[in-house]
Every structure is written in C-alpha cells, then in structure tokens.
Amino acid sequence: MGDRTRPSLYSIPAHRAFADALVAGLLARYGKDQMRLAQGMVLLPNNRAIRAVGDAFVRQSGGGLLLPRLVPLGDPELGEQVGGALDPLGEDDPVPPAIAPMRRRMMLARMVQEEGVRQGREMDGAQAMKLGDALGTVLDQLHIERIAPSRLNDLALSEELSAHWQRSLSLLSILVTRWPAELERLGMIDMSDRRNRLFDRLSARWRDTPPPGFVTAAGISTAAPAIAGLLRRISMLPQGQLVFAGLDQDMDEAAWDVIGPFDPDPVTGRAPPPHESHPQFNIKHMLGRMGMTRDDVMTWRWGSEHDARAVRGRNISNAMLPPRLTGRWRDLKTADRSLAGVEALEVATPGQEAQAIAIALREAMETPGRTAALVTPDRQLGVRVSAHLRRWGIEADDSGGQALSRLPPGTLLIALAQAVAERFAPVALLTLLKHPLVMRGDQRMVWLDGVRALDLLLRGPRPQAGLKGVDLLVEPRGDDDRQRDLRARVRTWWPWARELIGPLEQAFAAAPDFAAQLGALREHAGLLSNQSIWAGHHGHAAASLFENIEGAAAEGPRQADIRALPELLEHLLGDLLVRPQQGGHPRIAILGLVEARLVQADLMILAGLNEGTWPGLPAPDPWLAPRIRRELGLPGVEARIGSAAHDFASGLGAPAVLITRSRRGSGGPAVASRFWLRLKAMAGPQWCSAPRYLDFAHAIDRPHSYLRAQRPAPSPPLAARPRRVAVTEVDRLKADPYAFYARRILRLAPLDTVDADAGPAWRGTSVHEILQHWAEGGVLDPADLERRARAMFEQPDVHPLLRALWQPRLVEAVRWIADEVAADQAAGRRILAVEQDGQADIAGVTLMGKADRLDRLPDGSIGIVDYKTGKPPSGAQVKAGFSLQLGLLGLIAEHGGFPAAGAGGIAGSFEYWSLAKKEDAFGYRESPVDPGGKRGKLVTADFTAHAFSHFEQAVASWLLGSEPFRAQVNPEVASYGDYDQLMRLEEWYGRD
C-alpha cells in the first residue's frame, strides 16, 4: 500500500475539548474493531497529554476497551516508547547512545570554567554551571534546528558586536570545537542529536514499510526539522493522520501572511523578523517545513459535550490578530467581539487572587461531574490556591510539582552547605539545627529544647567564626542569673550537637574538590536526619538526583571556594520538579502551561496574567546575541512568548473561562499581561468582570462584628506591683506605664536579633567595661586607656565594618576622656568609684541604680558622671520631669546608698560625658543642670529635690497606688517601641 496522494491533515478548533474530540474521532473511525484500535499508535507532545487522552478514552468507552499505544514525542526514551517500529532499524549501524544529562552538564561546566581561566576570566563552580547549562541549551538548539556548530566560525559580525559578545562568541567557538571531540572520544552523542536520528530513521522506516495499524500525531506544535519531517511522513501514510490543536482557520489570508516567516529581501538578502510571539507562528512554521499550507488542513468534524460555542473560536482569532492589524477591532460587529462565557477578575494582591480562585474552583464542584482546572505559570500562586482548597478538605491534582530546592530534603542539603560556607554563622547554624528533618524521631523534642536555648544565647553580636565561637560562647562568665542559667542549659546540650556537626566542619576543611564536598554533604545529611532525608517520594527524588550529581561531579567544575557551594547546589536541585505520587481530586486540577496543553475542563481559570508572568520575560542568552541568533537561523528569544500565547488561546476555548490578575506582584506594582489587555481592548463594552468571587473572598473571613480595641490599662493588685525599681525604669514608668508593666510585672523582655549588628547597647557596654577596668587599675595612664580601646577591636567577634568605622572615633574620644580626667585630677577632683551599684529606700520603695562614675569634688561634694556613646538628654526633658537618671542617682547618694560616697553626701555635680561628635571633635561634657539656673536649666542644688518630687508622684500612683498602667501616657517622650505590638498600638492610637 503506497502513500496518499494528499496529506491527511486536520485541526481541532480551539473551542473544542481537544482530548475528547480526538478520542471521539478515533473511536468513530477505528473503535468498531477493538483489535484494529489496539494496533494503532497515537503520538502526543508530553506525558500530561497522554493522561488526558487516556482519560478521554475511559470516559467514552462505555466499558472495557483496548487502547492504542500512546507515545509522548517528548520522552527521552523515544526508541523504547515506539517499540517494535524501530526494532529492525540500526542493526548494522546502531544509533550511538546519548550522554547522560548530568554528566553532560558537569563536563560542559568544566570546559566553560577552563576556557574562561585561559582567557583570564575566573569563575566559581556556580557561575560555571549556569554558563555550562546555557551552553548546553545553545548546542541543543543548534541540533534541533540542524545547524552545524561550525557555522559559528563563519559569522562575520565582529564589527557589529560589542566587546562582550565578541568574547562570548570567541569562547563559544572554542567550546563547540572541543565538545564534539570529547563526545567522539566517549563514543556518545547529544540526546537532541540522537532524537533527530531516531526521528529520521523512523520516518525512513515508515516510508519503506508503513506500520500495520493507524498512526495519529496529535497536538504537536514543535517546528523542528526532524519532527516536521516525521509528521509529514505520518500525514502521507495510508493510515496516518496529523491533527493540529487550535490551528486558526478563521484568520483571513492577509492576517495569516503578516505572521511570517518572510522571504529574504532581493537587495539585502535578509528577511524581516517574523512575529514569533503570535500564537499561530509555530504551527505555520511547521506547515512550511512540511511543504504544506493551511489550505491542506481540514477541520476535525468530531466534538464532545465539553465544547464551547463555535463563535468563541472566531473571537479568539480576532483577539490574537497581529499588532499591525488590531485596528480592525473598531470595525468588528458585536457578535465578533463577544466573549460570552469568559469572565475577568482583577484584584489587588496575589493573596486575594488565590483566595478568589479557590472559591471559583469550590463553586465548580457544586455541579456533579463538572471539571475545573487552574492554569498558571506562577507556581507560588498554585501553592497558595492548594492551601486555600484544603480548608474544605480538597486536595487538588497539582501536576506542576515543586522544585526540590524548596522541599525539605533540598532545603536541608542547602542549609548544610550554607552553614559550612558561612563558617557556622548564627543564622546559618540555627537554620540548619532547626530544620524539620534534623533529629527527626523520638529525640526531636529534646533536640529542639537545646536549639531554642542556643537561639537565645546567640541573640546579639556574632561570636567568633566556626564552631569554636559557640564553644567559647557557652563557657561560664560573669553574667546575671538568667544568662548564667541559659549558658548552663546550652552547655548540657551543645556537646551532643557538637559531636554531630563537628565532623562536618573537619570534612569540608579536608574536601579539596566538588565530589568530596558532595560526599561530605550526603553523609552528614543522613546522620543529622537519622536518614529521614532520603525517605518518602521527596527523599527518593533527592537520593536519585544526588546520586547522579555525585557520580558526575568528578568531571564537573572545580569547586575550591566553599562559599559558592550553596548557590551551586541550589541551582542543581532547583532544576528537578517533584510531583505528588498520586493525583488529587478527580475534577479539580492545577496545571502549569506545559501540563495544560491539550487539556480542557468545563471551567478553565487562566491566572497570573501579568507581564513577566504570563507571558514570562524572555530569558537572556549569555552566549548568543539576538543578531547572532538571527544570522544562524535560530528561534528568537520571543519564541517562548508565542508558545505562551498559544497556550492562552487554547485555554480560552473552554465552555466557561475565568481569567485573573493582581494589580500587585511579589516585587511591587504589576503590569497587566498583553493578553489581558488585548481581550479587554477587543471586547470593549462587552468586557465581563466577575466581582462576585472577590466579594466571596472578602466575606469568607470577614467577622460578623468588630470589637474595637481600647487603649490597654491593666490594673494589677497592689501585691503584684514591684517594690524595687531601677533609676533607668522611672522614665519608662512615667512616659509609658504599660511598657513598665509588660517588662516588670509580665516579665517580658525584648530579644535581640540573631547575629545582630553591634548597636548602641553593645557599644555602650563595651565602652563602660574599658573605662571601668582602666579606672580600677589606679594608674589612669592615657596610653593604657587607648591600648584597652584598641584591644577591644582585636576581639574575633567584632565586625570588620565596626572596626573600620567606629575605632577611629572611639580612640579620639577616649583620648579626650583621659585628658579630662587628668585635668580634673590637677584641679583636685578624684575618682571614688566606677560602675558602682547603689540603693536606698525612698518614698516607700527601694530605688536602685548603677553609677558609671562617682567623683569627690574639691569642695567635698559628690560628682556623678554618666558616660554616653550618643547624644545626652536635653535640659528641657529633665526640667519636664523626664530623663531623671542623674538626679535619682544623686538622690541615692544623698541617702548614703553608694558605699564609696559614704553617708550623707551632697551631690554637687551632674555630668554627661558623651563620646559623640560635637564641633569637629569627638567627646564633650554636658550637664542637665546649672548652678545658677542659666539657659533655662534647673538649678544644680534643686536637682535631687526635683527628681524626688517626680519619683514620689510616680511611686504613689503606680507602685503604691491603684493607678492603671495605661499605654502611652506621654507619647511625645515614650520612645520605647518594644511593646507596641503587645499593646496593639495601631488599633487604637489616635482613635480613642
């Protein structure tokens, strides 16, 4: 039986459910004879299409059925899928095997790295892997388009290219010479090359010996020459047929011709660039390569009950007109611009979009037998919708999967690499120790108790690098009771953790290359997780991928710099999408663009319609400039936009369609997709929005009534109110009694952040320690003080930035302090004590305080000095009854509360010694009072009485009385924000 005289070409319009229509036609033609049906073969683009067509056969069979062989044309093992059709081929000249994908990636990355070094361009393993993967993509595109890599050497564009592209082209030319030689040495070929050869052999085989059963190629839109040749052969087979998905047969010839590709200009010899972003470009390009035209294609006459009205197809065609012809929209009749059955939903945020979509899917389930599918390239949106559906107990069939780098096994491996790369810095160390897979099992709770204690201990400035820093941190030191107990808790747990992760530090110190580093990661990930990292289908995927990576790592890039390992690992793990083992709800699906091809549900929700998401931004090619791609004949970077446009147009063909977008994305305001804008512009007044879903989304979590938050004013019983108060707490008590209540009565203390910058509190503590030890030495040598200041910056836990910026200022300031102390001593003033604690019973409570320095003045009175690393309080604040710390310390001194000052001393001087800058110098004195009350300040002799008056009033109201601890009594001076969230400040402030 010879070839047909005319090709057998068909198209299923976009308004028909592709899988159901295809199966209906195949059953009508071959279903009467089950054996004939079983002998047939259906070639489809991907595995999801296989599943969709298989489900359609089940729906329409009405009972038992022998299915034809369903073959995904994109499967790497095409030879095994096609089976006996290739058995007789290649016995004398077998097709060489394809090099394993991971081995190929590693080898290309190594070559890129080596060639870069030869050209003086150093790169780490992560950079080499990314460039190597991009190079592999270029090589595959050259194979697919059947362009000899040697053509790169024939390009004469050096004058027209920037220096960057000239270097890239030079490097690429070297690599495409080295790579074929390397493959020849191995006796292997690229997988894309092997697939081309298999397609060619299959086409030749079917030309000479047509298969006994029917062969149908359906829904394939790839215009690669080898595939186009195979599809042409299938269309000419006696029992062959080619079925396109959504070929636009309503578009007139003028619009069809505008798409391209175009013939070369007879003068310049160059053709204008085609409209690769048009949804019909790929199909038209394929027809051209097959040597056929749109006139050769007939409409598939079978349909199904899931089809939309035929007018939908014409209106999709109008909406997707080439840009230069969109002016036709003005002349369209109402029926030709109608999008009946298509609704649009525009919301403010991605969270609202996900909630509204989940409600629309839930609504679809209310109709028995109705199917619904969410199609979006935004995986984060799909994950959010899945989470919302679970509130109703619905597990959607989410075939998009998640990147392994975002799943627990991948995040543990990356956390391990990050911890080692950052030398166990606090955040990286805690991220590793808190990982849900670490110590999974019976010991998990005990482990977490120790990790939480370490978390508290690591709050503040970073300790010394490496695990040695934690070792030093847990050692006993002079702390308060709470901190001493915390260190003791960590000391009992840390040896256990140290035993587990200590060998990891040693292993990486001795790991010279990438393969050794991967081996250390694998071994310690298993130990830390009790091998749970490799359990379950996520773990199995991780184990399989890691085995491939580790097996090929010896041929991979040189990875000496451990700091690049986390990025390299995340890149490798992020390429693997892990899908659930079992599907979810049979009528609800969440699909990516690839998975959604040829799939149609009763309700199609096309979501994430923002520019940069759908369509996505064209990925830049680091190897080939757009001009080079055009000269070589490779598809442009906008070809993917055309594919995304075809997916969008296909989704619009469902009976009911909901398209959605959010006005704001994760990174800020978002721009509506060009597809959204096209539909809206064409539909005009007939643009139909669906605000009900947004209303439902708002209503589902809206309470029936709101209870207005009141300004908190707790009033604990008298017995619960403290009888001891520090001088530093009095200002807090007067300005914001609620903050005092939270700290002293509820005992809620704010925590520093982990790995915090050395802020004012740390700097103040450090300066006080330096000055204390210097004064206690008794010599008061200026050189000794400067030496102590410089020694502080030599500690390993001091941040280099702090050392660079603050050290010169501090050295200048302490020089000023030494000079001032020397001058005071010469005038008869001497230091009595530094950092001395004192207390006295005043106004019915015990007032406590620590004096930074107590001096004996020449007249026998007491001088009180408070060191400040920043700007001291103003005299106006002191006069208003705030910032009374110095006055209260003087009050304690006058009551004999400081042993060094003796009993009954009079405070005659109150000074702030600030290390801040004033008038081009660091260091100055300032007093909140004045002996004569000048410049609006209090009189020095009245300061302690003034402080006592305000202190007595505060004590009588809040500590010995029943006054409630109201929040923000004096907000103008209540600069404490530690408890704003606890007091729910934003809910009542300015409203009560």
Side-chain angles (χ1 to χ4, degrees):
M1 188 182 299
D3 285 353
R4 299 174 182 268
T5 57
R6 289 177 54 85
S8 180
L9 303 177
Y10 299 91
S11 174
I12 298 178
H15 67 275
R16 291 184 181 170
F18 184 89
D20 290 288
L22 176 67
V23 169
L26 294 178
L27 289 176
R29 289 187 172 191
Y30 311 111
K32 295 179 182 179
D33 184 348
Q34 293 235 1
M35 293 307 299
R36 186 182 180 196
L37 184 67
Q39 290 175 349
M41 182 185 302
V42 181
L43 302 180
L44 295 162
N46 53 44
N47 285 310
R48 183 70 198 198
I50 296 290
R51 178 176 170 182
V53 171
D55 291 344
F57 270 114
V58 171
R59 285 194 297 270
Q60 299 187 38
S61 64
L65 187 68
L66 295 175
L67 297 182
R69 179 178 296 165
L70 305 179
V71 179
L73 206 61
D75 195 287
E77 301 298 331
L78 179 69
E80 283 69 18
Q81 292 285 349
V82 176
L86 282 177
D87 285 345
L89 293 177
E91 293 177 350
D92 299 327
D93 182 21
V95 178
I99 187 170
M102 186 57 67
R103 186 182 183 188
R104 177 186 193 240
R105 294 179 68 181
M106 292 293 175
M107 293 175 68
L108 286 175
R110 170 74 71 89
M111 287 185 180
V112 168
Q113 191 178 51
E114 291 174 348
E115 295 296 340
V117 169
R118 289 178 188 174
Q119 294 191 7
R121 300 165 61 187
E122 294 288 340
M123 63 181 72
D124 58 38
Q127 295 172 319
M129 184 60 67
K130 292 176 181 178
L131 286 174
D133 287 347
L135 174 62
T137 300
V138 170
L139 293 175
D140 286 339
Q141 290 175 343
L142 292 172
H143 282 308
I144 289 170
E145 295 296 324
R146 290 191 162 161
I147 298 170
S150 58
R151 281 192 55 191
L152 288 165
N153 299 321
D154 301 331
L155 294 175
L157 297 174
S158 57
E159 298 84 4
E160 304 176 36
L161 298 175
S162 66
H164 161 71
W165 288 117
Q166 290 181 31
R167 287 194 301 269
S168 296
L169 189 58
S170 173
L171 182 59
L172 181 61
S173 300
I174 296 172
L175 291 173
V176 297
T177 303
R178 280 188 63 186
W179 181 242
E182 188 66 22
L183 288 178
E184 185 176 0
R185 181 184 68 81
L186 297 172
M188 296 179 177
I189 58 176
D190 286 311
M191 185 175 290
S192 53
D193 185 17
R194 187 172 192 272
R195 290 172 55 77
N196 280 348
R197 300 188 191 189
L198 288 176
F199 288 143
D200 292 343
R201 293 196 178 198
L202 185 59
S203 180
R205 167 70 179 178
W206 281 347
R207 180 191 62 227
D208 301 331
T209 309
F214 71 89
V215 178
T216 300
I220 299 167
S221 58
T222 304
I227 293 179
L230 176 61
L231 296 182
R232 174 181 172 81
R233 170 51 44 205
I234 291 173
S235 70
M236 300 300 293
L237 290 175
Q239 297 187 77
Q241 53 196 347
L242 175 59
V243 184
F244 294 103
L247 173 65
D248 190 348
Q249 295 176 299
D250 295 309
M251 183 184 294
D252 60 38
E253 287 300 322
W256 183 258
D257 291 340
V258 167
I259 298 174
F262 305 105
D263 295 329
D265 185 275
V267 178
T268 64
R270 294 179 178 175
H275 292 289
E276 293 178 298
S277 61
H278 194 277
Q280 294 293 310
F281 176 79
N282 277 339
I283 297 180
K284 183 179 180 184
H285 194 31
M286 180 196 294
L287 283 170
R289 284 184 164 174
M290 292 171 59
M292 300 172 187
T293 66
R294 189 173 53 154
D295 295 335
D296 295 319
V297 183
M298 297 176 287
T299 300
W300 189 260
R301 61 188 181 90
W302 292 275
S304 73
E305 59 184 6
H306 303 288
D307 297 344
R309 296 173 56 195
V311 68
R312 179 76 60 77
R314 294 197 301 272
N315 295 342
I316 294 173
S317 175
N318 291 331
M320 294 299 172
L321 281 171
R324 71 174 66 174
L325 301 179
T326 52
R328 295 182 180 182
W329 290 343
R330 295 190 298 267
D331 304 323
L332 289 177
K333 298 178 181 178
T334 300
D336 292 332
R337 66 168 69 226
S338 171
L339 290 174
V342 178
E343 294 181 301
L345 176 64
E346 186 175 33
V347 299
T349 65
Q352 291 179 353
E353 184 178 12
Q355 178 74 282
I357 291 170
I359 291 173
L361 293 171
R362 178 70 177 84
E363 181 187 55
M365 289 184 57
E366 297 297 323
T367 303
R370 193 180 194 206
T371 59
L374 164 64
V375 180
T376 178
D378 186 349
R379 286 302 308 148
Q380 187 61 38
L381 179 61
V383 170
R384 283 181 169 179
V385 172
S386 293
H388 283 301
L389 288 173
R390 292 191 188 103
R391 76 188 303 170
W392 299 297
I394 300 172
E395 285 289 342
D397 180 11
D398 187 353
S399 68
Q402 288 183 272
L404 181 59
S405 60
R406 297 292 180 264
L407 294 172
T411 55
L412 176 55
L413 291 167
I414 294 172
L416 271 169
Q418 195 75 46
V420 176
E422 295 186 16
R423 299 189 65 190
F424 298 96
V427 173
L429 176 61
L430 291 173
T431 300
L432 171 62
L433 298 178
K434 292 179 181 180
H435 193 280
L437 292 182
V438 172
M439 282 299 108
R440 190 170 184 176
D442 297 340
Q443 297 175 306
R444 174 73 176 170
M445 297 309 297
V446 179
W447 175 268
L448 286 181
D449 285 341
V451 176
R452 293 186 185 107
L454 179 62
D455 180 289
L456 293 174
L457 194 59
L458 285 172
R459 291 182 178 272
R462 176 182 296 194
Q464 182 177 335
L467 296 178
K468 182 181 179 182
V470 183
D471 295 338
L472 296 175
L473 191 66
V474 301
E475 291 179 355
R477 58 183 70 180
D479 295 320
D480 56 30
D481 292 341
R482 178 179 173 276
Q483 197 74 359
R484 190 180 304 113
D485 292 342
L486 181 60
R487 291 187 200 278
R489 282 178 57 196
V490 177
R491 276 199 304 276
T492 62
W493 168 83
W494 177 242
W496 179 21
R498 187 70 159 83
E499 183 180 1
L500 286 171
I501 60 179
L504 179 67
E505 186 178 38
Q506 300 167 8
F508 270 86
D513 54 30
F514 188 29
Q517 293 166 5
L518 290 173
L521 277 180
R522 171 180 43 77
E523 179 181 355
H524 288 86
L527 291 174
L528 275 173
S529 65
N530 293 326
Q531 305 303 327
S532 62
I533 186 176
W534 316 118
H537 71 283
H538 292 166
H540 295 163
S544 177
L545 177 62
F546 211 75
E547 182 182 9
N548 289 339
I549 296 174
E550 195 173 355
E555 298 178 280
R558 291 182 174 83
Q559 177 54 39
D561 188 354
I562 195 65
R563 292 173 297 180
L565 182 60
E567 184 182 1
L568 173 56
L569 201 60
E570 185 164 7
H571 178 72
L572 291 169
L573 299 180
D575 288 342
L576 178 64
L577 294 178
V578 183
R579 296 174 172 84
Q581 284 183 307
Q582 299 176 347
H585 197 282
R587 295 194 284 124
I588 302 293
I590 299 177
L591 309 170
L593 299 191
V594 174
E595 292 80 18
R597 289 171 186 169
L598 311 187
V599 177
Q600 196 173 90
D602 297 322
L603 169 66
M604 293 289 284
I605 301 177
L606 312 180
L609 283 164
N610 284 328
E611 202 70 13
T613 301
W614 194 352
L617 295 175
D621 187 340
W623 292 104
L624 298 180
R627 176 64 189 280
I628 298 176
R629 297 182 68 89
R630 286 198 301 271
E631 289 295 326
L632 290 173
L634 288 173
V637 292
E638 290 197 344
R640 292 184 179 180
I641 296 179
S643 179
H646 188 266
D647 296 333
F648 177 72
S650 300
L652 285 175
V657 180
L658 175 65
I659 61 174
T660 70
R661 69 171 293 261
S662 62
R663 291 186 293 273
R664 187 172 185 84
S666 58
V671 177
S673 166
R674 64 190 72 183
F675 307 146
W676 175 285
L677 296 176
R678 275 177 165 271
L679 289 183
K680 188 174 184 178
M682 187 203 74
Q686 299 188 67
W687 179 254
C688 182
S689 60
R692 65 184 184 281
Y693 294 118
L694 183 58
D695 295 340
F696 291 152
H698 287 156
I700 196 169
D701 293 320
R702 184 186 297 135
H704 294 293
S705 61
Y706 293 91
L707 296 178
R708 182 181 176 184
Q710 302 296 324
R711 181 196 294 259
S715 183
L718 189 62
R721 302 184 183 224
R723 292 294 187 272
R724 297 171 63 85
V725 62
V727 295
T728 54
E729 295 175 326
V730 176
D731 289 340
R732 188 189 300 267
L733 176 61
K734 286 170 55 59
D736 191 353
Y738 183 87
F740 178 89
Y741 162 81
R743 190 178 190 94
R744 287 298 310 276
I745 299 178
L746 298 183
R747 298 181 181 180
L748 299 176
L751 295 175
D752 291 333
T753 59
V754 175
D755 201 2
D757 292 332
W762 183 90
R763 295 199 295 267
T765 301
S766 301
V767 169
H768 280 69
E769 288 181 357
I770 292 171
L771 295 172
Q772 177 186 358
H773 296 153
W774 176 67
E776 289 175 345
V779 179
L780 299 180
D781 180 13
D784 179 51
L785 178 57
E786 182 173 338
R787 181 188 59 78
R788 291 177 183 272
R790 292 186 182 277
M792 181 191 72
F793 290 100
E794 299 305 319
Q795 297 175 11
D797 56 348
V798 175
H799 196 281
L801 189 62
L802 187 67
R803 186 180 296 120
L805 297 181
W806 195 47
Q807 182 176 4
R809 304 180 183 186
L810 180 60
V811 169
E812 183 178 342
V814 296
R815 288 172 180 169
W816 171 83
I817 290 177
D819 292 341
E820 291 294 305
V821 169
D824 286 347
Q825 284 184 315
R829 179 172 175 169
R830 63 187 179 88
I831 297 176
L832 291 177
V834 291
E835 301 297 328
Q836 185 166 80
D837 292 316
Q839 65 179 39
D841 293 333
I842 303 173
V845 299
T846 301
L847 179 63
M848 307 172 298
K850 176 181 283 189
D852 291 348
R853 202 177 89 202
L854 294 175
D855 291 355
R856 179 70 70 186
L857 303 180
D859 62 1
S861 62
I862 306 284
I864 301 176
V865 176
D866 187 23
Y867 293 118
K868 294 289 185 185
T869 55
K871 184 179 179 181
S874 67
Q877 286 179 293
V878 175
K879 197 169 185 178
F882 299 97
S883 300
L884 298 175
Q885 180 180 351
L886 282 181
L888 294 174
L889 289 172
L891 198 60
I892 295 175
E894 291 180 354
H895 281 73
F898 289 111
I906 301 299
S909 173
F910 304 91
E911 295 177 343
Y912 293 113
W913 286 31
S914 175
L915 279 66
K917 188 175 184 179
K918 185 177 182 179
E919 297 179 356
D920 300 327
F922 288 94
Y924 63 93
R925 295 191 196 194
E926 188 169 294
S927 177
V929 294
D930 186 80
K934 298 177 181 178
R935 292 175 293 177
K937 295 183 178 181
L938 285 171
V939 176
T940 303
D942 299 335
F943 190 21
T944 54
H946 175 75
F948 173 76
S949 173
H950 284 278
F951 176 67
E952 184 181 38
Q953 180 183 1
V955 167
S957 298
W958 287 292
L959 302 186
L960 300 180
S962 59
E963 186 75 19
F965 290 88
R966 290 173 60 83
Q968 297 280 334
V969 171
N970 293 288
E972 65 277 3
V973 292
S975 58
Y976 319 102
D978 297 335
Y979 303 100
D980 287 354
Q981 185 176 11
L982 182 66
M983 67 176 67
R984 300 167 67 175
L985 180 70
E986 299 294 335
E987 299 182 37
W988 56 263
Y989 187 73
R991 302 174 186 172
D992 64 348

